[in-house]
Amino acid sequence: MFLPDEVDVVIVGYGPVGAAIAGLLGGYGVRTLVVDKLPDIWMSPRAIALDNEALRILQMVGLPEDAFAKEVIPQVRMHCPLFGEFARINTAGTVDGHPKLVTFYQPELERALRDHAERQLGVTARTGVEMVRFQHDREGVRAVLRTSAGYEGVVRARYLVGADGASSSVRTAIGLDFEGTTYGEDWLIVDAVGVADNIDHVEFVCDPDRPTPHMVAPNGRTRWEFMLRPGETREEMEKDSTIERLLKPWANADEIRIERKAVYRFHARVCERFSKGRAFLAGDAAHLTPPFAGQGLVAGLRDAANLAWKLAWVVRGRASEGILETYDQERRPHAVKMIRLAKFMGQLVMPRDHVRAVLIHGAMALLRRIPPARTYFEELGIKPENAFAEGLFVRGGRGGRRGAWFPQSTVPSDAGAVQRSDDLLGPGFSLVGLGVDPAQSLSEWSARHWSRAGGRSACLPGAEERGWCLVVRPDRTVMHDGPVAEAERLVTESLRLLGAPAA
Ligand SMILES: Cc1cc2nc3c(=O)[nH]c(=O)nc-3n(C[C@H](O)[C@H](O)[C@H](O)COP(=O)(O)OP(=O)(O)OC[C@H]3O[C@@H](n4cnc5c(N)ncnc54)[C@H](O)[C@@H]3O)c2cc1C
């Protein structure tokens, strides 16, 4: 098996996060090697839900709309034996051009991500190849790789990304550790095909005797997650007879096909830092969340979007190495907030005893009668915004825009149809003028340096804010903003922040 001697970035782990990073790096023109010790995609039942942010990142990676099947979820309902439905989350509609919540089949998404990454010039993907150890110093990274046939080779790289999952050996090698708690409860996950009266939404059966999230998935699939009771064992729970009994309220086991089943223990843990020296952690290697908010893979995709362009801009000499520090600064606080949300959802779903269940579900049912509280919960006000307090953006500005995501809209395309604005902006930096062309406000010198730093200009409709101008990073975070008359200053300050050679 051919392994390159030298690349810009080596990615350890070709799960969904490693594959997304490889696809992004390839798109940015970075020579990348991605390896996975397994021969093929891991088939266990894992992620099932993605939100609009994840879908926007997959658009950024370059996956077409139909790359994998999705089931749009209009609502998440929570009910319990005592109060019936005590809470609901409205997930109908779209944000930034994507449904707020969909379910999907993880192996199909992983296949699409791998196919896309491998189509990028400069990306080499190798499965059945384990990263055994690595060193990193001022000169670069030297990673020792071993193929399944026992051949060992060394690859040199400028940076290494550990997207190697929960038991990350990259994390251990750089001496970082997880902080946080491990849930004592185990859960049985069952995926089945062919349930006759499938629901069209996600429901949390919040019965303290047996909490059971239950949801529809594409292509006739259904998932159930059953919390194990004290004394129940993995072996006993994974038996066909047990699953048949558990599924009784929903389906006859002989009329459906059990596709996958597995018992998991969930964790709520974050690594103390997401990078050290030339090594970066992403996905489950950096953070683990219980799945009650459906945010584990979503957080990993946010890592991918945040890290890939920074590595690419440094490798291609468009930014100084210092910007890589902002990966941890921006991503870790948000990952912590999402884990807190998942723990909160977990307390709703799985109160540990009947007294707590009555108190928690009763309080939720009461809050539902107070319109502002109801709206806050139902319209996802509890979900932390993908915005940074600190990081690679010019602090200040009005409306808290800087450091937050630039919204996506639809715009007329050259061919007379409509296209999504992210597709119009493309993969680099954008100087966006709302209702005006900002390029006209740039001097020849700035325009040249902006272009060298991977920047371009675009005009997007902005009826209410005509004349406003924003610097948007490749990951769609707003870096700077101001009146279009000051576009020259916005560009110069942004280039300086990047440490771009021209600045
Ligand atoms: C039951 C369950 C339900 C979930 N539901 C959701 C959900 O609804 N929504 C959501 O967003 N997330 C969910 N998640 C979480 C989601 O599945 C994970 O966050 C995601 O799969 C992690 O992807 P990853 O690429 O970071 O890691 P992984 O998929 O674990 O990939 C890591 C890869 O690294 C490889 N590797 C490890 N060590 C080495 C080495 N030394 N050399 C080479 N290769 C190596 C492994 O073989 C593996 O393929 C759920 C998880 C579970 C368990």
Side-chain angles (χ1 to χ4, degrees):
M1 181 190 294
F2 165 77
L3 288 172
D5 298 329
E6 192 183 347
V7 289
D8 297 316
V9 178
V10 59
I11 303 170
V12 183
Y14 202 19
V17 175
I21 297 174
L24 283 165
L25 287 176
Y28 296 135
V30 174
R31 292 175 310 149
T32 305
L33 171 67
V34 55
V35 296
D36 201 293
K37 62 184 179 185
L38 295 179
D40 208 342
I41 288 167
W42 195 11
M43 293 303 292
S44 305
R46 297 195 292 161
I48 188 160
L50 291 176
D51 67 5
N52 52 284
E53 292 180 28
L55 296 173
R56 190 176 179 188
I57 292 169
L58 294 172
Q59 178 193 350
M60 202 183 292
V61 170
L63 290 196
E65 250 326 86
D66 59 356
F68 64 105
K70 303 171 199 88
E71 183 80 35
V72 175
I73 301 294
Q75 52 191 315
V76 179
R77 292 189 198 162
M78 295 168 198
H79 53 89
C80 64
L82 199 58
F83 302 105
E85 184 179 297
F86 64 88
R88 181 186 284 214
I89 300 174
N90 172 21
T91 50
T94 60
V95 178
D96 291 330
H98 292 283
K100 285 185 195 163
L101 187 66
V102 299
T103 53
F104 72 111
Y105 182 59
Q106 182 166 349
E108 191 191 7
L109 170 64
E110 292 196 35
R111 176 60 60 209
L113 282 168
R114 286 185 178 197
D115 289 349
H116 174 79
E118 288 163 35
R119 276 197 299 273
Q120 306 305 307
L121 260 172
V123 173
T124 308
R126 294 286 179 262
T127 52
V129 174
E130 181 173 7
M131 193 283 297
V132 189
R133 59 186 176 276
F134 74 96
Q135 296 167 334
H136 58 136
D137 55 28
R138 286 175 57 132
E139 306 304 316
V141 176
R142 276 171 59 86
V144 178
L145 307 176
R146 188 188 296 139
T147 69
S148 45
Y151 165 80
E152 272 197 10
V154 175
V155 62
R156 282 177 288 127
R158 286 187 61 185
Y159 299 102
L160 179 142
V161 178
D164 52 345
S167 330
S168 168
S169 52
V170 173
R171 190 179 64 233
T172 310
I174 56 178
L176 294 178
D177 204 357
F178 270 149
E179 295 164 345
T181 51
T182 288
Y183 277 77
E185 292 89 0
D186 291 330
W187 289 74
L188 169 72
I189 314 299
V190 179
D191 280 357
V193 184
V195 174
D197 294 317
N198 217 350
I199 55 171
D200 68 350
H201 57 280
V202 173
E203 71 171 5
F204 285 178
V205 183
C206 304
D207 180 349
D209 283 336
R210 175 85 76 195
T212 310
H214 162 221
M215 62 216 74
V216 61
N219 299 325
R221 292 192 168 87
T222 312
R223 169 170 294 186
W224 292 267
E225 303 178 356
F226 299 100
M227 194 171 100
L228 270 63
R229 292 178 182 152
E232 286 176 334
T233 63
R234 171 186 298 259
E235 294 69 31
E236 181 192 332
M237 291 302 280
E238 287 183 357
K239 275 187 194 157
D240 290 349
S241 54
T242 311
I243 292 174
E244 194 172 318
R245 179 172 48 80
L246 289 169
L247 292 188
K248 206 79 202 149
W250 294 278
N252 279 327
D254 47 3
E255 289 166 12
I256 59 174
R257 181 166 62 82
I258 305 297
E259 190 176 41
R260 309 186 293 178
K261 56 190 178 184
V263 170
Y264 288 99
R265 177 159 292 192
F266 296 147
H267 308 275
R269 314 192 75 184
V270 184
C271 193
E272 59 197 283
R273 269 190 65 79
F274 284 10
S275 68
K276 191 167 179 185
R278 291 179 175 275
F280 297 82
L281 299 173
D284 278 14
H287 41 73
L288 290 173
T289 174
F292 307 115
Q295 284 288 324
L297 174 53
V298 178
L301 291 172
R302 289 194 195 98
D303 298 341
N306 192 294
L307 178 61
W309 78 265
K310 290 177 183 169
L311 287 172
W313 258 246
V314 172
V315 162
R316 297 192 59 186
R318 291 167 161 178
S320 73
E321 206 166 40
I323 70 163
L324 299 176
E325 284 293 312
T326 63
Y327 169 59
D328 173 76
Q329 197 181 27
E330 292 182 344
R331 278 298 306 133
R332 197 156 41 92
H334 190 266
V336 170
K337 282 187 201 163
M338 278 301 177
I339 291 174
R340 278 196 205 124
L341 174 68
K343 286 167 82 171
F344 172 69
M345 295 294 288
Q347 279 162 6
L348 294 185
V349 183
M350 49 168 205
R352 281 150 208 252
D353 54 59
H354 285 79
V355 176
R356 282 175 76 125
V358 171
L359 290 176
I360 292 174
H361 298 156
M364 290 296 296
L366 276 178
L367 278 176
R368 223 181 166 197
R369 292 167 183 237
I370 306 169
R374 179 180 183 138
T375 307
Y376 179 71
F377 188 76
E378 289 194 355
E379 300 305 320
L380 280 165
I382 51 168
K383 185 176 172 185
E385 196 194 345
N386 190 10
F388 313 127
E390 284 182 297
L392 191 58
F393 57 91
V394 178
R395 299 280 285 273
R398 69 179 192 197
R401 265 206 184 112
R402 298 184 197 163
W405 252 11
F406 180 61
Q408 171 160 240
S409 54
T410 46
V411 287
S413 76
D414 292 343
V418 284
Q419 69 179 138
R420 289 186 291 195
S421 57
D422 286 0
D423 297 334
L424 175 86
L425 298 183
F429 268 88
S430 309
L431 178 66
V432 179
L434 299 181
V436 284
D437 179 5
Q440 291 171 1
S441 305
L442 290 187
S443 68
E444 202 184 307
W445 187 92
S446 293
R448 199 169 57 242
H449 288 299
W450 185 232
S451 161
R452 267 196 211 150
R456 44 184 294 197
S457 304
C459 172
L460 292 181
E464 283 159 33
E465 294 188 283
R466 218 184 131 75
W468 204 250
C469 181
L470 305 99
V471 175
V472 180
R473 305 186 332 195
D475 63 357
R476 314 303 176 204
T477 300
V478 176
M479 192 172 195
H480 207 345
D481 71 334
V484 75
E486 296 177 22
E488 176 86 6
R489 179 178 63 81
L490 302 185
V491 162
T492 313
E493 289 178 1
S494 300
L495 288 173
R496 198 174 301 141
L497 201 59
L498 274 180

